[in-house]
Amino acid sequence: MQSRNVNLQRKNNLKITETNHTIMMEFVLQGFANIPQFHWYLFGGFLVIYLIILLGNGIIILITKVDATLQTPMYFFLSNFSFLEICYVSVTLPRMLMDLWTQKGTISFLTCATQMCFFLTLGVTECFLLAVMAYDRFVAICNPLHYPLVMNHKVCVQLVVASWISGFPVQIGQTFQIFSLSFCGSNKINHFFCDIPPLLKLACGDIFMNKLVVYVFAVLFVTLPFLLILGFYIRIIFTILKLPSKTGRTKAFSTCSSHIIIVLLFYGSATVTYLKPKSNQYEGIDKLLSLFYTVLTPTFNPMIYSLRNKDVIKAMRKFLPKLSAL
């Protein structure tokens, strides 16, 4: 009789555990559910932005491949960066457009994990590629005589490949760690894509170690590249200030200004999003900042590099008439 009571108690405890720790088969991305009256305006606006990103960055990739004057390491890195921007925005924006069109935000557990993995991996790639582009400007300005030797084609390819693959193993592990957690109660993600902070809010139990791992990875794969960029530009600024002519200083700085703007846009919005205090009152701001570095930065990229670069403008003037004649 006593054994039977123990078994019943175990079954009851098991039922309670199953109730408290729901096995999530799918999530719901709430996105812009709080402003349903603007869904179609948002759909139209984001669709235009996505087409601009594809067209603008696509043109940069093409002109850096076909124009002989742009066959240099700086533009090789720029074409890879433009391709990265297309991939980066394609992880989140098409899904957001589909949710706005169908007005349903359901996303399967596996799809959510896949989206997060690619988003994190491409984000790490962007950090490293920005650091590589800063290193390229550092060598060009601080060691111009050694530039052709140091930044030869083989080295450039190796740097780009390292930037693309460095984040994959770690971010796959981090995604597995996040989605191995138990999720309680609501399956609604108050965001327009699967990101770490809103998902951790749905997790059960003590997640201190998970948050600690997230911050450690952020330091290694986000802060470290930023410190490298900062170090390179400190050396670059000191070198530029030592140049004897004002024309030389202006020309040297102009080759870095576009890259600096992109770095400030990307790191500024991402840093505020992930390092500010977490609170429900900031969720709307989180979405706005996330839109800034996931959507608007890739939109600004071709504009910034084309409007502030005479070589790119000249190449576009030669390329666009040929494109329109096809």
Side-chain angles (χ1 to χ4, degrees):
M1 187 71 180
Q2 186 177 0
S3 175
R4 185 179 177 183
N5 290 335
V6 170
N7 289 335
L8 286 172
Q9 188 176 0
R10 286 178 179 174
K11 287 180 180 179
N12 289 334
N13 290 338
L14 182 60
K15 287 179 181 178
I16 292 170
T17 303
E18 288 175 349
T19 303
N20 290 339
H21 298 272
T22 308
I23 298 174
M24 295 291 183
M25 298 304 295
E26 65 179 20
F27 294 100
V28 177
L29 294 169
Q30 290 188 302
F32 305 97
N34 58 326
I35 47 173
Q37 66 274 23
F38 293 109
H39 275 193
W40 292 114
Y41 297 105
L42 291 171
F43 176 84
F46 286 131
L47 179 60
V48 170
I49 288 173
Y50 188 48
L51 293 175
I52 290 173
I53 291 170
L54 296 179
L55 181 62
N57 286 287
I59 289 175
I60 286 182
I61 294 170
L62 283 174
I63 62 174
T64 53
K65 296 297 182 185
V66 301
D67 195 288
T69 61
L70 302 182
Q71 303 299 312
T72 64
M74 182 175 77
Y75 296 109
F76 173 73
F77 294 132
L78 177 58
S79 66
N80 276 275
F81 186 73
S82 294
F83 178 68
L84 172 64
E85 294 287 57
I86 291 174
C87 296
Y88 187 60
V89 78
S90 296
V91 172
T92 57
L93 199 47
R95 175 78 206 192
M96 185 167 62
L97 289 171
M98 186 183 74
D99 291 341
L100 288 169
W101 178 266
T102 61
Q103 297 189 20
K104 297 178 181 178
T106 54
I107 183 170
S108 69
F109 191 88
L110 180 60
T111 304
C112 188
T114 303
Q115 185 187 52
M116 176 186 284
C117 184
F118 277 100
F119 175 76
L120 294 176
T121 302
L122 293 173
V124 170
T125 301
E126 182 151 352
C127 293
F128 280 116
L129 197 53
L130 287 171
V132 167
M133 294 169 78
Y135 174 68
D136 171 69
R137 293 299 84 208
F138 164 74
V139 177
I141 293 172
C142 300
N143 299 286
L145 296 178
H146 297 92
Y147 182 72
L149 180 63
V150 175
M151 300 303 293
N152 59 68
H153 183 68
K154 182 180 178 181
V155 171
C156 292
V157 171
Q158 289 173 341
L159 288 171
V160 167
V161 171
S163 298
W164 276 92
I165 67 174
S166 56
F168 261 105
V170 175
Q171 297 308 328
I172 289 174
Q174 186 169 14
T175 303
F176 180 78
Q177 176 212 10
I178 297 296
F179 281 86
S180 296
L181 297 171
S182 298
F183 295 97
C184 307
S186 175
N187 66 339
K188 294 180 179 179
I189 301 174
N190 193 12
H191 212 9
F192 58 88
F193 68 96
C194 292
D195 199 6
I196 293 178
L199 270 167
L200 287 179
K201 290 182 179 180
L202 305 181
C204 302
D206 184 10
I207 57 171
F208 172 77
M209 288 304 299
N210 301 93
K211 289 182 178 180
L212 182 61
V213 170
V214 169
Y215 278 108
V216 169
F217 285 157
V219 169
L220 290 176
F221 295 101
V222 180
T223 308
L224 184 59
F226 177 73
L227 292 176
L228 287 172
I229 293 170
L230 189 62
F232 289 139
Y233 274 112
I234 289 172
R235 290 287 304 276
I236 288 170
I237 290 170
F238 278 115
T239 302
I240 290 176
L241 292 176
K242 292 178 181 178
L243 295 176
S245 67
K246 183 179 179 180
T247 304
R249 290 194 296 269
T250 303
K251 185 177 179 181
F253 184 75
S254 66
T255 64
C256 306
S257 57
S258 299
H259 181 254
I260 291 173
I261 294 171
I262 293 293
V263 169
L264 292 176
L265 288 174
F266 177 77
Y267 270 100
S269 54
T271 301
V272 173
T273 301
Y274 286 96
L275 296 185
K276 67 174 178 53
K278 301 302 175 186
S279 172
N280 291 334
Q281 64 180 337
Y282 292 119
E283 288 179 345
I285 300 175
D286 286 344
K287 292 180 187 179
L288 183 62
L289 291 170
S290 297
L291 279 173
F292 202 88
Y293 70 84
T294 59
V295 177
L296 295 184
T297 301
T299 308
F300 293 147
N301 171 43
M303 298 179 188
I304 291 171
Y305 274 103
S306 60
L307 295 176
R308 299 184 62 85
N309 192 303
K310 293 179 180 179
D311 293 333
V312 173
I313 292 174
K314 189 183 296 183
M316 281 187 176
R317 285 174 178 171
K318 291 190 294 183
F319 175 76
L320 290 177
K322 294 179 182 178
L323 186 65
S324 60
L326 295 176

